[in-house]
Amino acid sequence: MKIVRHPKGSEFEKEIGYARLVTADRWIFVSGTTGYNYATMEIEPEVEKQAGQCLENIGSALASVGASLQDVVRINYYLKHAEDFPACWPILSKTFGAHPPAATMIEASLAVPDMLIEIEVTALQPDS
C-alpha cells in the first residue's frame, strides 16, 4: 500500500504533527477541518456558515488529489453543541443528498472557543 501525506503548510500541521490529507492507494483521509476561511483566518459566528466553510475547505483538499465531495464515503461531524446540528442540515443535504456518505455526529469540546463544528471525511478516489 502506498501512503502519501499531503500537508497544506499550516502552522497547526507543523506544531501538532499532522497532515491535512493522507492518501493510501485510492483511499483519502481528510483531517478534522474547521470553519476558518484560510485566506483571512477568520471564522463566522454562525454554525451553519462554519459548516459551509468546512465543506469548502474539505472540497479544496479533495480537489488537490483529484477527488471531490461526491467521493466522500464516510463523514464525522463534531459539534460543540449537539442542538446546533439541525441548523447545518440544509447545507449538508444540499452537498451530500444525491450521494450520502455514512455519517456520525458527536458532541465534543473543540480546540478554540469560536469553533462550533469540525468535520472529517474519508473518500475514495474515483476510477481514472
Side-chain angles (χ1 to χ4, degrees), residues 88-126:
C88 301
W89 293 354
I91 191 161
L92 302 177
S93 178
K94 180 179 177 185
T95 303
F96 297 109
H99 43 87
T104 300
M105 191 286 290
I106 298 169
E107 182 178 51
S109 296
L110 298 177
V112 175
D114 291 342
M115 293 177 187
L116 301 176
I117 186 169
E118 185 169 343
I119 301 174
E120 70 176 342
V121 304
T122 302
L124 189 61
Q125 283 185 324

PDB file of all heavy atoms in Angstrom, residues 88-126:
ATOM      1  N   CYS A  88     -27.388  22.921  10.503  1.00  0.00           N
ATOM      2  CA  CYS A  88     -26.443  22.534   9.450  1.00  0.00           C
ATOM      3  C   CYS A  88     -27.089  21.638   8.394  1.00  0.00           C
ATOM      4  O   CYS A  88     -26.542  21.491   7.297  1.00  0.00           O
ATOM      5  CB  CYS A  88     -25.253  21.794  10.060  1.00  0.00           C
ATOM      6  SG  CYS A  88     -24.339  22.743  11.273  1.00  0.00           S
ATOM      7  N   TRP A  89     -28.209  21.032   8.711  1.00  0.00           N
ATOM      8  CA  TRP A  89     -28.801  20.037   7.824  1.00  0.00           C
ATOM      9  C   TRP A  89     -29.049  20.530   6.406  1.00  0.00           C
ATOM     10  O   TRP A  89     -28.764  19.795   5.452  1.00  0.00           O
ATOM     11  CB  TRP A  89     -30.071  19.464   8.425  1.00  0.00           C
ATOM     12  CG  TRP A  89     -29.842  18.649   9.661  1.00  0.00           C
ATOM     13  CD1 TRP A  89     -28.646  18.278  10.212  1.00  0.00           C
ATOM     14  CD2 TRP A  89     -30.844  18.126  10.515  1.00  0.00           C
ATOM     15  NE1 TRP A  89     -28.848  17.560  11.359  1.00  0.00           N
ATOM     16  CE2 TRP A  89     -30.197  17.449  11.577  1.00  0.00           C
ATOM     17  CE3 TRP A  89     -32.236  18.166  10.518  1.00  0.00           C
ATOM     18  CZ2 TRP A  89     -30.886  16.808  12.592  1.00  0.00           C
ATOM     19  CZ3 TRP A  89     -32.927  17.527  11.537  1.00  0.00           C
ATOM     20  CH2 TRP A  89     -32.253  16.851  12.551  1.00  0.00           C
ATOM     21  N   PRO A  90     -29.568  21.740   6.198  1.00  0.00           N
ATOM     22  CA  PRO A  90     -29.813  22.161   4.804  1.00  0.00           C
ATOM     23  C   PRO A  90     -28.551  22.147   3.933  1.00  0.00           C
ATOM     24  O   PRO A  90     -28.591  21.657   2.802  1.00  0.00           O
ATOM     25  CB  PRO A  90     -30.384  23.576   4.955  1.00  0.00           C
ATOM     26  CG  PRO A  90     -31.040  23.563   6.301  1.00  0.00           C
ATOM     27  CD  PRO A  90     -30.114  22.714   7.150  1.00  0.00           C
ATOM     28  N   ILE A  91     -27.442  22.656   4.442  1.00  0.00           N
ATOM     29  CA  ILE A  91     -26.222  22.661   3.625  1.00  0.00           C
ATOM     30  C   ILE A  91     -25.664  21.254   3.461  1.00  0.00           C
ATOM     31  O   ILE A  91     -25.140  20.904   2.402  1.00  0.00           O
ATOM     32  CB  ILE A  91     -25.144  23.635   4.172  1.00  0.00           C
ATOM     33  CG1 ILE A  91     -24.031  23.777   3.131  1.00  0.00           C
ATOM     34  CG2 ILE A  91     -24.589  23.188   5.493  1.00  0.00           C
ATOM     35  CD1 ILE A  91     -23.167  24.974   3.307  1.00  0.00           C
ATOM     36  N   LEU A  92     -25.788  20.425   4.480  1.00  0.00           N
ATOM     37  CA  LEU A  92     -25.303  19.048   4.382  1.00  0.00           C
ATOM     38  C   LEU A  92     -26.141  18.264   3.378  1.00  0.00           C
ATOM     39  O   LEU A  92     -25.606  17.526   2.548  1.00  0.00           O
ATOM     40  CB  LEU A  92     -25.322  18.373   5.758  1.00  0.00           C
ATOM     41  CG  LEU A  92     -24.497  19.077   6.839  1.00  0.00           C
ATOM     42  CD1 LEU A  92     -24.653  18.362   8.172  1.00  0.00           C
ATOM     43  CD2 LEU A  92     -23.040  19.201   6.438  1.00  0.00           C
ATOM     44  N   SER A  93     -27.443  18.451   3.434  1.00  0.00           N
ATOM     45  CA  SER A  93     -28.342  17.782   2.493  1.00  0.00           C
ATOM     46  C   SER A  93     -28.088  18.248   1.062  1.00  0.00           C
ATOM     47  O   SER A  93     -28.064  17.444   0.131  1.00  0.00           O
ATOM     48  CB  SER A  93     -29.793  18.052   2.890  1.00  0.00           C
ATOM     49  OG  SER A  93     -30.658  17.452   1.965  1.00  0.00           O
ATOM     50  N   LYS A  94     -27.867  19.552   0.904  1.00  0.00           N
ATOM     51  CA  LYS A  94     -27.584  20.093  -0.431  1.00  0.00           C
ATOM     52  C   LYS A  94     -26.274  19.517  -0.969  1.00  0.00           C
ATOM     53  O   LYS A  94     -26.159  19.196  -2.148  1.00  0.00           O
ATOM     54  CB  LYS A  94     -27.501  21.616  -0.366  1.00  0.00           C
ATOM     55  CG  LYS A  94     -27.208  22.272  -1.692  1.00  0.00           C
ATOM     56  CD  LYS A  94     -27.154  23.784  -1.559  1.00  0.00           C
ATOM     57  CE  LYS A  94     -26.784  24.421  -2.894  1.00  0.00           C
ATOM     58  NZ  LYS A  94     -26.610  25.857  -2.787  1.00  0.00           N
ATOM     59  N   THR A  95     -25.294  19.363  -0.110  1.00  0.00           N
ATOM     60  CA  THR A  95     -23.977  18.874  -0.518  1.00  0.00           C
ATOM     61  C   THR A  95     -23.958  17.373  -0.751  1.00  0.00           C
ATOM     62  O   THR A  95     -23.364  16.896  -1.721  1.00  0.00           O
ATOM     63  CB  THR A  95     -22.918  19.240   0.543  1.00  0.00           C
ATOM     64  OG1 THR A  95     -22.924  20.660   0.725  1.00  0.00           O
ATOM     65  CG2 THR A  95     -21.532  18.789   0.141  1.00  0.00           C
ATOM     66  N   PHE A  96     -24.603  16.609   0.133  1.00  0.00           N
ATOM     67  CA  PHE A  96     -24.477  15.155   0.092  1.00  0.00           C
ATOM     68  C   PHE A  96     -25.760  14.404  -0.239  1.00  0.00           C
ATOM     69  O   PHE A  96     -25.741  13.175  -0.334  1.00  0.00           O
ATOM     70  CB  PHE A  96     -23.937  14.640   1.439  1.00  0.00           C
ATOM     71  CG  PHE A  96     -22.568  15.135   1.768  1.00  0.00           C
ATOM     72  CD1 PHE A  96     -22.377  16.052   2.780  1.00  0.00           C
ATOM     73  CD2 PHE A  96     -21.465  14.681   1.065  1.00  0.00           C
ATOM     74  CE1 PHE A  96     -21.103  16.517   3.095  1.00  0.00           C
ATOM     75  CE2 PHE A  96     -20.190  15.134   1.367  1.00  0.00           C
ATOM     76  CZ  PHE A  96     -20.010  16.049   2.381  1.00  0.00           C
ATOM     77  N   GLY A  97     -26.876  15.098  -0.417  1.00  0.00           N
ATOM     78  CA  GLY A  97     -28.165  14.435  -0.608  1.00  0.00           C
ATOM     79  C   GLY A  97     -28.206  13.435  -1.742  1.00  0.00           C
ATOM     80  O   GLY A  97     -28.827  12.376  -1.629  1.00  0.00           O
ATOM     81  N   ALA A  98     -27.542  13.718  -2.849  1.00  0.00           N
ATOM     82  CA  ALA A  98     -27.562  12.823  -4.010  1.00  0.00           C
ATOM     83  C   ALA A  98     -26.584  11.659  -3.867  1.00  0.00           C
ATOM     84  O   ALA A  98     -26.679  10.676  -4.594  1.00  0.00           O
ATOM     85  CB  ALA A  98     -27.246  13.615  -5.281  1.00  0.00           C
ATOM     86  N   HIS A  99     -25.643  11.764  -2.927  1.00  0.00           N
ATOM     87  CA  HIS A  99     -24.614  10.731  -2.742  1.00  0.00           C
ATOM     88  C   HIS A  99     -24.243  10.679  -1.268  1.00  0.00           C
ATOM     89  O   HIS A  99     -23.118  11.006  -0.880  1.00  0.00           O
ATOM     90  CB  HIS A  99     -23.383  11.026  -3.625  1.00  0.00           C
ATOM     91  CG  HIS A  99     -23.002  12.486  -3.610  1.00  0.00           C
ATOM     92  ND1 HIS A  99     -22.177  13.020  -2.666  1.00  0.00           N
ATOM     93  CD2 HIS A  99     -23.376  13.508  -4.409  1.00  0.00           C
ATOM     94  CE1 HIS A  99     -22.050  14.320  -2.868  1.00  0.00           C
ATOM     95  NE2 HIS A  99     -22.765  14.641  -3.914  1.00  0.00           N
ATOM     96  N   PRO A 100     -25.187  10.263  -0.404  1.00  0.00           N
ATOM     97  CA  PRO A 100     -24.960  10.336   1.041  1.00  0.00           C
ATOM     98  C   PRO A 100     -23.889   9.372   1.540  1.00  0.00           C
ATOM     99  O   PRO A 100     -23.900   8.197   1.194  1.00  0.00           O
ATOM    100  CB  PRO A 100     -26.328   9.992   1.637  1.00  0.00           C
ATOM    101  CG  PRO A 100     -27.021   9.212   0.581  1.00  0.00           C
ATOM    102  CD  PRO A 100     -26.496   9.704  -0.732  1.00  0.00           C
ATOM    103  N   PRO A 101     -22.954   9.885   2.334  1.00  0.00           N
ATOM    104  CA  PRO A 101     -21.955   9.018   2.959  1.00  0.00           C
ATOM    105  C   PRO A 101     -22.495   8.450   4.271  1.00  0.00           C
ATOM    106  O   PRO A 101     -23.494   8.937   4.816  1.00  0.00           O
ATOM    107  CB  PRO A 101     -20.799   9.984   3.233  1.00  0.00           C
ATOM    108  CG  PRO A 101     -21.480  11.304   3.456  1.00  0.00           C
ATOM    109  CD  PRO A 101     -22.692  11.302   2.556  1.00  0.00           C
ATOM    110  N   ALA A 102     -21.830   7.449   4.787  1.00  0.00           N
ATOM    111  CA  ALA A 102     -22.089   7.003   6.151  1.00  0.00           C
ATOM    112  C   ALA A 102     -21.674   8.153   7.063  1.00  0.00           C
ATOM    113  O   ALA A 102     -20.701   8.857   6.774  1.00  0.00           O
ATOM    114  CB  ALA A 102     -21.282   5.743   6.465  1.00  0.00           C
ATOM    115  N   ALA A 103     -22.408   8.376   8.156  1.00  0.00           N
ATOM    116  CA  ALA A 103     -22.150   9.571   8.966  1.00  0.00           C
ATOM    117  C   ALA A 103     -22.317   9.312  10.453  1.00  0.00           C
ATOM    118  O   ALA A 103     -23.086   8.452  10.876  1.00  0.00           O
ATOM    119  CB  ALA A 103     -23.097  10.686   8.536  1.00  0.00           C
ATOM    120  N   THR A 104     -21.584  10.114  11.229  1.00  0.00           N
ATOM    121  CA  THR A 104     -21.688  10.123  12.684  1.00  0.00           C
ATOM    122  C   THR A 104     -21.614  11.566  13.152  1.00  0.00           C
ATOM    123  O   THR A 104     -20.857  12.362  12.593  1.00  0.00           O
ATOM    124  CB  THR A 104     -20.520   9.338  13.332  1.00  0.00           C
ATOM    125  OG1 THR A 104     -20.560   7.990  12.867  1.00  0.00           O
ATOM    126  CG2 THR A 104     -20.592   9.366  14.846  1.00  0.00           C
ATOM    127  N   MET A 105     -22.405  11.912  14.165  1.00  0.00           N
ATOM    128  CA  MET A 105     -22.334  13.240  14.782  1.00  0.00           C
ATOM    129  C   MET A 105     -22.003  13.038  16.249  1.00  0.00           C
ATOM    130  O   MET A 105     -22.624  12.233  16.931  1.00  0.00           O
ATOM    131  CB  MET A 105     -23.661  13.988  14.639  1.00  0.00           C
ATOM    132  CG  MET A 105     -23.576  15.475  15.030  1.00  0.00           C
ATOM    133  SD  MET A 105     -23.470  15.868  16.796  1.00  0.00           S
ATOM    134  CE  MET A 105     -25.088  15.437  17.357  1.00  0.00           C
ATOM    135  N   ILE A 106     -21.019  13.769  16.719  1.00  0.00           N
ATOM    136  CA  ILE A 106     -20.571  13.675  18.104  1.00  0.00           C
ATOM    137  C   ILE A 106     -20.525  15.079  18.696  1.00  0.00           C
ATOM    138  O   ILE A 106     -20.032  16.007  18.059  1.00  0.00           O
ATOM    139  CB  ILE A 106     -19.156  13.042  18.191  1.00  0.00           C
ATOM    140  CG1 ILE A 106     -19.190  11.620  17.632  1.00  0.00           C
ATOM    141  CG2 ILE A 106     -18.620  13.074  19.616  1.00  0.00           C
ATOM    142  CD1 ILE A 106     -17.815  11.013  17.430  1.00  0.00           C
ATOM    143  N   GLU A 107     -21.024  15.236  19.904  1.00  0.00           N
ATOM    144  CA  GLU A 107     -20.871  16.496  20.628  1.00  0.00           C
ATOM    145  C   GLU A 107     -19.536  16.435  21.361  1.00  0.00           C
ATOM    146  O   GLU A 107     -19.252  15.457  22.053  1.00  0.00           O
ATOM    147  CB  GLU A 107     -22.016  16.690  21.623  1.00  0.00           C
ATOM    148  CG  GLU A 107     -21.938  18.001  22.375  1.00  0.00           C
ATOM    149  CD  GLU A 107     -23.114  18.189  23.319  1.00  0.00           C
ATOM    150  OE1 GLU A 107     -23.398  17.264  24.112  1.00  0.00           O
ATOM    151  OE2 GLU A 107     -23.737  19.253  23.259  1.00  0.00           O
ATOM    152  N   ALA A 108     -18.704  17.481  21.176  1.00  0.00           N
ATOM    153  CA  ALA A 108     -17.359  17.463  21.758  1.00  0.00           C
ATOM    154  C   ALA A 108     -16.860  18.884  21.991  1.00  0.00           C
ATOM    155  O   ALA A 108     -17.273  19.819  21.312  1.00  0.00           O
ATOM    156  CB  ALA A 108     -16.403  16.749  20.815  1.00  0.00           C
ATOM    157  N   SER A 109     -15.972  19.023  22.940  1.00  0.00           N
ATOM    158  CA  SER A 109     -15.264  20.287  23.090  1.00  0.00           C
ATOM    159  C   SER A 109     -14.341  20.440  21.895  1.00  0.00           C
ATOM    160  O   SER A 109     -13.757  19.463  21.426  1.00  0.00           O
ATOM    161  CB  SER A 109     -14.428  20.288  24.373  1.00  0.00           C
ATOM    162  OG  SER A 109     -15.263  20.193  25.501  1.00  0.00           O
ATOM    163  N   LEU A 110     -14.207  21.655  21.390  1.00  0.00           N
ATOM    164  CA  LEU A 110     -13.313  21.904  20.270  1.00  0.00           C
ATOM    165  C   LEU A 110     -12.162  22.776  20.745  1.00  0.00           C
ATOM    166  O   LEU A 110     -12.235  23.415  21.793  1.00  0.00           O
ATOM    167  CB  LEU A 110     -14.080  22.530  19.108  1.00  0.00           C
ATOM    168  CG  LEU A 110     -15.202  21.643  18.549  1.00  0.00           C
ATOM    169  CD1 LEU A 110     -15.964  22.366  17.443  1.00  0.00           C
ATOM    170  CD2 LEU A 110     -14.667  20.327  18.031  1.00  0.00           C
ATOM    171  N   ALA A 111     -11.090  22.817  19.973  1.00  0.00           N
ATOM    172  CA  ALA A 111      -9.826  23.414  20.405  1.00  0.00           C
ATOM    173  C   ALA A 111      -9.882  24.907  20.688  1.00  0.00           C
ATOM    174  O   ALA A 111      -9.152  25.398  21.535  1.00  0.00           O
ATOM    175  CB  ALA A 111      -8.744  23.130  19.367  1.00  0.00           C
ATOM    176  N   VAL A 112     -10.737  25.637  19.966  1.00  0.00           N
ATOM    177  CA  VAL A 112     -10.813  27.090  20.097  1.00  0.00           C
ATOM    178  C   VAL A 112     -12.271  27.459  20.389  1.00  0.00           C
ATOM    179  O   VAL A 112     -13.174  26.914  19.757  1.00  0.00           O
ATOM    180  CB  VAL A 112     -10.324  27.770  18.787  1.00  0.00           C
ATOM    181  CG1 VAL A 112     -10.491  29.264  18.836  1.00  0.00           C
ATOM    182  CG2 VAL A 112      -8.873  27.400  18.515  1.00  0.00           C
ATOM    183  N   PRO A 113     -12.511  28.376  21.324  1.00  0.00           N
ATOM    184  CA  PRO A 113     -13.899  28.697  21.685  1.00  0.00           C
ATOM    185  C   PRO A 113     -14.801  29.110  20.513  1.00  0.00           C
ATOM    186  O   PRO A 113     -15.986  28.800  20.518  1.00  0.00           O
ATOM    187  CB  PRO A 113     -13.741  29.857  22.683  1.00  0.00           C
ATOM    188  CG  PRO A 113     -12.389  29.662  23.263  1.00  0.00           C
ATOM    189  CD  PRO A 113     -11.547  29.088  22.158  1.00  0.00           C
ATOM    190  N   ASP A 114     -14.255  29.767  19.494  1.00  0.00           N
ATOM    191  CA  ASP A 114     -15.082  30.199  18.362  1.00  0.00           C
ATOM    192  C   ASP A 114     -15.491  29.053  17.439  1.00  0.00           C
ATOM    193  O   ASP A 114     -16.402  29.203  16.633  1.00  0.00           O
ATOM    194  CB  ASP A 114     -14.339  31.250  17.532  1.00  0.00           C
ATOM    195  CG  ASP A 114     -14.180  32.568  18.280  1.00  0.00           C
ATOM    196  OD1 ASP A 114     -14.914  32.802  19.268  1.00  0.00           O
ATOM    197  OD2 ASP A 114     -13.317  33.372  17.878  1.00  0.00           O
ATOM    198  N   MET A 115     -14.816  27.920  17.519  1.00  0.00           N
ATOM    199  CA  MET A 115     -15.153  26.771  16.674  1.00  0.00           C
ATOM    200  C   MET A 115     -16.433  26.130  17.179  1.00  0.00           C
ATOM    201  O   MET A 115     -16.535  25.773  18.351  1.00  0.00           O
ATOM    202  CB  MET A 115     -14.042  25.723  16.703  1.00  0.00           C
ATOM    203  CG  MET A 115     -12.762  26.153  16.083  1.00  0.00           C
ATOM    204  SD  MET A 115     -11.559  24.811  16.310  1.00  0.00           S
ATOM    205  CE  MET A 115     -10.091  25.588  15.696  1.00  0.00           C
ATOM    206  N   LEU A 116     -17.404  25.966  16.284  1.00  0.00           N
ATOM    207  CA  LEU A 116     -18.668  25.334  16.647  1.00  0.00           C
ATOM    208  C   LEU A 116     -18.830  23.957  16.004  1.00  0.00           C
ATOM    209  O   LEU A 116     -19.633  23.148  16.461  1.00  0.00           O
ATOM    210  CB  LEU A 116     -19.835  26.233  16.246  1.00  0.00           C
ATOM    211  CG  LEU A 116     -19.839  27.618  16.889  1.00  0.00           C
ATOM    212  CD1 LEU A 116     -20.988  28.455  16.331  1.00  0.00           C
ATOM    213  CD2 LEU A 116     -19.917  27.513  18.403  1.00  0.00           C
ATOM    214  N   ILE A 117     -18.090  23.716  14.913  1.00  0.00           N
ATOM    215  CA  ILE A 117     -18.174  22.444  14.207  1.00  0.00           C
ATOM    216  C   ILE A 117     -16.816  22.120  13.586  1.00  0.00           C
ATOM    217  O   ILE A 117     -16.078  23.016  13.184  1.00  0.00           O
ATOM    218  CB  ILE A 117     -19.279  22.471  13.123  1.00  0.00           C
ATOM    219  CG1 ILE A 117     -19.464  21.084  12.480  1.00  0.00           C
ATOM    220  CG2 ILE A 117     -19.020  23.557  12.090  1.00  0.00           C
ATOM    221  CD1 ILE A 117     -20.707  20.966  11.602  1.00  0.00           C
ATOM    222  N   GLU A 118     -16.519  20.831  13.565  1.00  0.00           N
ATOM    223  CA  GLU A 118     -15.338  20.321  12.880  1.00  0.00           C
ATOM    224  C   GLU A 118     -15.797  19.090  12.107  1.00  0.00           C
ATOM    225  O   GLU A 118     -16.616  18.309  12.607  1.00  0.00           O
ATOM    226  CB  GLU A 118     -14.250  19.956  13.897  1.00  0.00           C
ATOM    227  CG  GLU A 118     -12.954  19.527  13.287  1.00  0.00           C
ATOM    228  CD  GLU A 118     -11.816  19.427  14.302  1.00  0.00           C
ATOM    229  OE1 GLU A 118     -11.934  19.979  15.413  1.00  0.00           O
ATOM    230  OE2 GLU A 118     -10.797  18.794  13.974  1.00  0.00           O
ATOM    231  N   ILE A 119     -15.310  18.937  10.890  1.00  0.00           N
ATOM    232  CA  ILE A 119     -15.743  17.827  10.041  1.00  0.00           C
ATOM    233  C   ILE A 119     -14.511  17.096   9.515  1.00  0.00           C
ATOM    234  O   ILE A 119     -13.549  17.726   9.076  1.00  0.00           O
ATOM    235  CB  ILE A 119     -16.586  18.337   8.851  1.00  0.00           C
ATOM    236  CG1 ILE A 119     -17.826  19.105   9.348  1.00  0.00           C
ATOM    237  CG2 ILE A 119     -16.998  17.181   7.945  1.00  0.00           C
ATOM    238  CD1 ILE A 119     -18.630  19.776   8.236  1.00  0.00           C
ATOM    239  N   GLU A 120     -14.559  15.762   9.562  1.00  0.00           N
ATOM    240  CA  GLU A 120     -13.509  14.949   8.938  1.00  0.00           C
ATOM    241  C   GLU A 120     -14.181  13.976   7.980  1.00  0.00           C
ATOM    242  O   GLU A 120     -15.318  13.557   8.212  1.00  0.00           O
ATOM    243  CB  GLU A 120     -12.652  14.221   9.962  1.00  0.00           C
ATOM    244  CG  GLU A 120     -13.355  13.108  10.689  1.00  0.00           C
ATOM    245  CD  GLU A 120     -12.456  12.338  11.645  1.00  0.00           C
ATOM    246  OE1 GLU A 120     -11.217  12.408  11.541  1.00  0.00           O
ATOM    247  OE2 GLU A 120     -13.012  11.635  12.489  1.00  0.00           O
ATOM    248  N   VAL A 121     -13.473  13.642   6.909  1.00  0.00           N
ATOM    249  CA  VAL A 121     -14.052  12.737   5.922  1.00  0.00           C
ATOM    250  C   VAL A 121     -13.048  11.683   5.470  1.00  0.00           C
ATOM    251  O   VAL A 121     -11.834  11.883   5.544  1.00  0.00           O
ATOM    252  CB  VAL A 121     -14.586  13.482   4.672  1.00  0.00           C
ATOM    253  CG1 VAL A 121     -15.593  14.556   5.053  1.00  0.00           C
ATOM    254  CG2 VAL A 121     -13.479  14.060   3.823  1.00  0.00           C
ATOM    255  N   THR A 122     -13.610  10.604   4.977  1.00  0.00           N
ATOM    256  CA  THR A 122     -12.875   9.585   4.248  1.00  0.00           C
ATOM    257  C   THR A 122     -13.522   9.506   2.875  1.00  0.00           C
ATOM    258  O   THR A 122     -14.751   9.478   2.757  1.00  0.00           O
ATOM    259  CB  THR A 122     -12.973   8.213   4.959  1.00  0.00           C
ATOM    260  OG1 THR A 122     -12.470   8.347   6.281  1.00  0.00           O
ATOM    261  CG2 THR A 122     -12.180   7.155   4.210  1.00  0.00           C
ATOM    262  N   ALA A 123     -12.699   9.495   1.849  1.00  0.00           N
ATOM    263  CA  ALA A 123     -13.211   9.439   0.480  1.00  0.00           C
ATOM    264  C   ALA A 123     -12.448   8.361  -0.283  1.00  0.00           C
ATOM    265  O   ALA A 123     -11.398   7.876   0.156  1.00  0.00           O
ATOM    266  CB  ALA A 123     -13.042  10.796  -0.207  1.00  0.00           C
ATOM    267  N   LEU A 124     -12.988   8.016  -1.435  1.00  0.00           N
ATOM    268  CA  LEU A 124     -12.351   7.046  -2.318  1.00  0.00           C
ATOM    269  C   LEU A 124     -12.146   7.733  -3.667  1.00  0.00           C
ATOM    270  O   LEU A 124     -13.102   8.226  -4.253  1.00  0.00           O
ATOM    271  CB  LEU A 124     -13.235   5.803  -2.473  1.00  0.00           C
ATOM    272  CG  LEU A 124     -12.626   4.618  -3.181  1.00  0.00           C
ATOM    273  CD1 LEU A 124     -11.389   4.100  -2.448  1.00  0.00           C
ATOM    274  CD2 LEU A 124     -13.657   3.499  -3.291  1.00  0.00           C
ATOM    275  N   GLN A 125     -10.873   7.801  -4.092  1.00  0.00           N
ATOM    276  CA  GLN A 125     -10.594   8.453  -5.363  1.00  0.00           C
ATOM    277  C   GLN A 125     -11.367   7.768  -6.480  1.00  0.00           C
ATOM    278  O   GLN A 125     -11.442   6.533  -6.521  1.00  0.00           O
ATOM    279  CB  GLN A 125      -9.100   8.433  -5.691  1.00  0.00           C
ATOM    280  CG  GLN A 125      -8.322   9.442  -4.903  1.00  0.00           C
ATOM    281  CD  GLN A 125      -6.856   9.496  -5.309  1.00  0.00           C
ATOM    282  OE1 GLN A 125      -6.263   8.483  -5.632  1.00  0.00           O
ATOM    283  NE2 GLN A 125      -6.295  10.671  -5.262  1.00  0.00           N
ATOM    284  N   PRO A 126     -11.938   8.564  -7.374  1.00  0.00           N
ATOM    285  CA  PRO A 126     -12.680   7.965  -8.480  1.00  0.00           C
ATOM    286  C   PRO A 126     -11.741   7.183  -9.396  1.00  0.00           C
ATOM    287  O   PRO A 126     -10.542   7.462  -9.462  1.00  0.00           O
ATOM    288  CB  PRO A 126     -13.284   9.174  -9.199  1.00  0.00           C
ATOM    289  CG  PRO A 126     -12.477  10.355  -8.755  1.00  0.00           C
ATOM    290  CD  PRO A 126     -11.893  10.018  -7.418  1.00  0.00           C
TER     291      PRO A 126
END
